PDB file of all heavy atoms in Angstrom:
ATOM      1  N   ARG A  13      75.254 -19.521  24.007  1.00 86.00           N
ATOM      2  CA  ARG A  13      74.339 -18.937  24.984  1.00 86.00           C
ATOM      3  C   ARG A  13      72.905 -19.389  24.703  1.00 86.00           C
ATOM      4  O   ARG A  13      72.143 -19.669  25.610  1.00 86.00           O
ATOM      5  CB  ARG A  13      74.462 -17.411  24.914  1.00 86.00           C
ATOM      6  CG  ARG A  13      73.620 -16.652  25.901  1.00 86.00           C
ATOM      7  CD  ARG A  13      74.104 -16.833  27.313  1.00 86.00           C
ATOM      8  NE  ARG A  13      72.992 -16.623  28.241  1.00 86.00           N
ATOM      9  CZ  ARG A  13      72.986 -16.995  29.501  1.00 86.00           C
ATOM     10  NH1 ARG A  13      74.036 -17.588  30.014  1.00 86.00           N
ATOM     11  NH2 ARG A  13      71.947 -16.772  30.265  1.00 86.00           N
ATOM     12  N   HIS A 313      20.992 -22.377  52.213  1.00 93.00           N
ATOM     13  CA  HIS A 313      21.402 -23.417  51.270  1.00 93.00           C
ATOM     14  C   HIS A 313      21.636 -24.675  52.083  1.00 93.00           C
ATOM     15  O   HIS A 313      22.676 -24.812  52.724  1.00 93.00           O
ATOM     16  CB  HIS A 313      22.668 -23.017  50.534  1.00 93.00           C
ATOM     17  CG  HIS A 313      22.598 -21.624  49.984  1.00 93.00           C
ATOM     18  ND1 HIS A 313      21.871 -21.324  48.864  1.00 93.00           N
ATOM     19  CD2 HIS A 313      23.145 -20.461  50.404  1.00 93.00           C
ATOM     20  CE1 HIS A 313      21.979 -20.034  48.617  1.00 93.00           C
ATOM     21  NE2 HIS A 313      22.746 -19.479  49.538  1.00 93.00           N
ATOM     22  N   ARG A 663      28.581 -12.790  44.931  1.00 39.00           N
ATOM     23  CA  ARG A 663      30.001 -13.011  44.705  1.00 39.00           C
ATOM     24  C   ARG A 663      30.798 -11.737  44.884  1.00 39.00           C
ATOM     25  O   ARG A 663      30.343 -10.654  44.577  1.00 39.00           O
ATOM     26  CB  ARG A 663      30.236 -13.519  43.295  1.00 39.00           C
ATOM     27  CG  ARG A 663      29.696 -14.899  43.097  1.00 39.00           C
ATOM     28  CD  ARG A 663      30.343 -15.466  41.883  1.00 39.00           C
ATOM     29  NE  ARG A 663      31.777 -15.401  42.000  1.00 39.00           N
ATOM     30  CZ  ARG A 663      32.494 -16.320  42.625  1.00 39.00           C
ATOM     31  NH1 ARG A 663      31.910 -17.348  43.128  1.00 39.00           N
ATOM     32  NH2 ARG A 663      33.788 -16.191  42.706  1.00 39.00           N
ATOM     33  N   GLU A1004      67.760 -28.196  18.068  1.00 41.00           N
ATOM     34  CA  GLU A1004      68.093 -26.920  17.454  1.00 41.00           C
ATOM     35  C   GLU A1004      67.295 -26.714  16.188  1.00 41.00           C
ATOM     36  O   GLU A1004      66.756 -25.658  15.922  1.00 41.00           O
ATOM     37  CB  GLU A1004      69.566 -26.908  17.075  1.00 41.00           C
ATOM     38  CG  GLU A1004      70.429 -26.207  18.079  1.00 41.00           C
ATOM     39  CD  GLU A1004      71.858 -26.211  17.619  1.00 41.00           C
ATOM     40  OE1 GLU A1004      72.121 -25.796  16.492  1.00 41.00           O
ATOM     41  OE2 GLU A1004      72.678 -26.661  18.390  1.00 41.00           O
TER      42      GLU A1004
END
Side-chain angles (χ1 to χ4, degrees):
Chain A
R13 182 69 205 164
H313 312 284
R663 292 198 55 84
E1004 262 181 53

